[in-house]
Amino acid sequence: MLSDKNKVSLYQAMLLFMTILFTAAIRFVPLTTARKAGRAAWLIPIPTAIVLAVLFILLHNIYKKYPNNSVLDIIEDILGRPLAIVLAALYLMWFVIITSLFTRYYGGRLVATIFPNGDIRIFMICMLAFVGVMLQSGIVTICRMNEIIFYVIVTVFIILIFLMLPQVDIKNLTPITYKDIIPILDGSLSILSLWVYFVYMFFFGDEINDKEKIWKTGIKTTFFLFITTMLFLFIVIGRVGASIVQRLPLPFVASVKIISLFNTLERLESLVVILWISADAILIATMTYITLKTGKYLFKLSTIKPFIWIMLTFIYFFSLYIAKSLFELQSFSSKVADFGDLTFGAIIPVSVYIIGKVRKKI
């Protein structure tokens, strides 16, 4: 077992999870929720938070029996080694896909927002090189860097909310009727497909301390996500309207662009993009680390360090060929990625939990 100094706290792991959500949420959440629920989209976090709380309860019950194991170790004990190997292989492929997807989105966003004539390959190489250096230091260093980034993001988010709130038009958010219930529930799946990323954090569960606090920390995390996501959607949709949000590639950035405080505070979108890039670095580093940890389990490796650059090289080339255009990338995300994350982040873990209960291993 690793000594405590070489582990991260559960609190740090949840901060990592929430930073990961920042970059994905800005890109996907306003667009997908507005398309599914229209002006009622700001209520979507309600059912999503309920489901997330239930998933935290299940994970808490699992880790009461397996306090020092990763997700794959738990799956092996419950389902047996052969089936665990099959699932590990599937998880490995999925982690490579979504890490490549986020890498491609990162490069595409820089070209679309700041460097319209830039070469996407250069941005991706620079990011992956930086990620490689981060990974050499291990997950503890990544978590410590993330603590600073997370609190800066939260501070800026609060400031932006304060600046944009007076310009919210309630007419863009109402009326809400019983007919919005089904669209809200449908839209909640889009957010849940991102929120289940907390399960991925436990693929390095053997490196996380105080997992007996999962329920307590999980409730705090759920409440934080519920409040911030609802405010996020309330502001974006309330300012520009659901019909316009549906047509904007980056609705939140567009909302920030029109902020003006006494004609002196403008172009805050540059600050948002800088924070977005920082969160992208944490996202790609964390998902690559989880991918390598999965490979370590699958191939019984003693260490992952020799394979860091090999994995990053593969992610670079795969991210170039995962889609030919931004349209294909977005189509893949909406049609494949959401379903995949729900499957790997919720359906499989819940199924393992049920089987564990039946076999009296939990």
Side-chain angles (χ1 to χ4, degrees):
M1 183 184 297
L2 294 171
S3 62
D4 287 346
K5 68 178 182 179
N6 292 323
K7 288 188 176 186
V8 301
S9 68
L10 181 63
Y11 174 75
Q12 288 177 310
M14 290 300 99
L15 291 188
L16 201 62
F17 159 61
M18 289 187 283
T19 299
I20 284 174
L21 290 188
F22 171 77
T23 177
I26 289 183
R27 186 184 302 112
F28 297 120
V29 169
L31 187 63
T32 56
T33 55
R35 286 176 177 174
K36 292 187 176 182
R39 62 168 62 91
W42 62 282
L43 295 175
I44 284 177
I46 296 175
T48 314
I50 294 172
V51 176
L52 184 65
V54 171
L55 291 175
F56 269 116
I57 292 174
L58 298 185
L59 195 67
H60 176 77
N61 291 336
I62 290 173
Y63 270 99
K64 284 196 297 185
K65 178 66 183 297
Y66 302 95
N68 299 311
N69 299 100
S70 69
V71 168
L72 291 173
D73 294 327
I74 296 170
I75 290 175
E76 179 178 337
D77 187 67
I78 293 174
L79 302 182
R81 178 72 180 176
L83 191 52
I85 289 296
V86 173
L87 288 176
L90 292 175
Y91 270 108
L92 179 63
M93 289 187 290
W94 182 245
F95 290 151
V96 169
I97 290 172
I98 59 177
T99 305
S100 301
L101 185 71
F102 286 128
T103 302
R104 178 66 177 271
Y105 266 120
Y106 152 76
R109 185 179 63 257
L110 281 184
V111 171
T113 57
I114 301 180
F115 304 104
N117 297 318
D119 190 335
I120 189 174
R121 294 171 296 181
I122 294 177
F123 299 132
M124 289 164 56
I125 289 173
C126 291
M127 173 60 80
L128 292 174
F130 179 65
V131 166
V133 174
M134 291 172 64
L135 289 171
Q136 293 291 331
S137 300
I139 193 65
V140 175
T141 300
I142 294 173
C143 284
R144 288 173 180 169
M145 290 177 58
N146 175 67
E147 286 190 70
I148 299 173
I149 294 172
F150 175 79
Y151 287 117
V152 173
I153 288 174
V154 171
T155 301
V156 172
F157 178 79
I158 292 172
I159 293 172
L160 292 177
I161 292 297
F162 174 78
L163 293 175
M164 291 190 287
L165 190 59
Q167 299 171 346
V168 170
D169 187 350
I170 298 300
K171 293 180 180 179
N172 291 330
L173 302 164
T174 56
I176 306 297
T177 70
Y178 71 92
K179 294 181 180 180
D180 293 308
I181 295 176
I182 299 302
I184 287 172
L185 294 176
D186 182 32
S188 68
L189 294 177
S190 298
I191 299 183
L192 186 62
S193 67
L194 296 175
W195 286 13
V196 295
Y197 274 49
F198 85 92
V199 174
Y200 298 162
M201 301 301 103
F202 292 89
F203 274 72
F204 56 88
D206 54 323
E207 298 179 71
I208 299 176
N209 284 316
D210 53 27
K211 290 188 286 295
E212 69 278 0
K213 299 178 182 177
I214 288 178
W215 168 236
K216 182 178 180 181
T217 305
I219 288 300
K220 292 179 180 178
T221 301
T222 300
F223 182 75
F224 178 83
L225 290 177
F226 168 71
I227 294 297
T228 53
T229 305
M230 181 171 280
L231 276 174
F232 175 56
L233 292 172
F234 185 89
I235 293 295
V236 174
I237 295 175
R239 293 194 79 199
V240 299
S243 59
I244 297 177
V245 169
Q246 295 173 27
R247 297 192 293 268
L248 293 174
L250 297 173
F252 184 71
V253 175
S255 297
V256 173
K257 282 183 178 181
I258 58 177
I259 289 178
S260 178
L261 183 62
F262 307 123
N263 295 319
T264 60
L265 186 59
E266 298 179 341
R267 300 193 62 79
L268 284 175
E269 72 273 14
S270 299
L271 178 59
V272 173
V273 172
I274 291 172
L275 290 177
W276 204 347
I277 293 173
S278 300
D280 271 331
I282 297 296
L283 167 62
I284 295 170
T286 302
M287 292 310 304
T288 303
Y289 187 78
I290 292 170
T291 305
L292 289 166
K293 287 284 289 187
T294 305
K296 180 181 179 181
Y297 168 86
L298 186 61
F299 300 108
K300 293 186 176 181
L301 304 175
S302 59
T303 180
I304 63 173
K305 280 192 174 183
F307 302 94
I308 290 174
W309 295 108
I310 296 174
M311 178 58 70
L312 291 174
T313 301
F314 181 81
I315 288 172
Y316 168 73
F317 285 107
F318 191 71
S319 63
L320 291 176
Y321 293 100
I322 196 171
K324 295 180 180 179
S325 64
L326 179 61
F327 175 78
E328 288 187 6
L329 205 61
Q330 292 174 336
S331 179
F332 178 85
S333 296
S334 60
K335 295 179 180 179
V336 179
D338 282 0
F339 175 76
D341 282 323
L342 287 172
T343 299
F344 288 101
I347 295 174
I348 292 178
V350 170
S351 299
V352 171
Y353 176 83
I354 293 172
I355 294 172
K357 276 293 187 181
V358 171
R359 299 188 64 186
K360 298 182 179 180
K361 287 183 172 289
I362 296 176

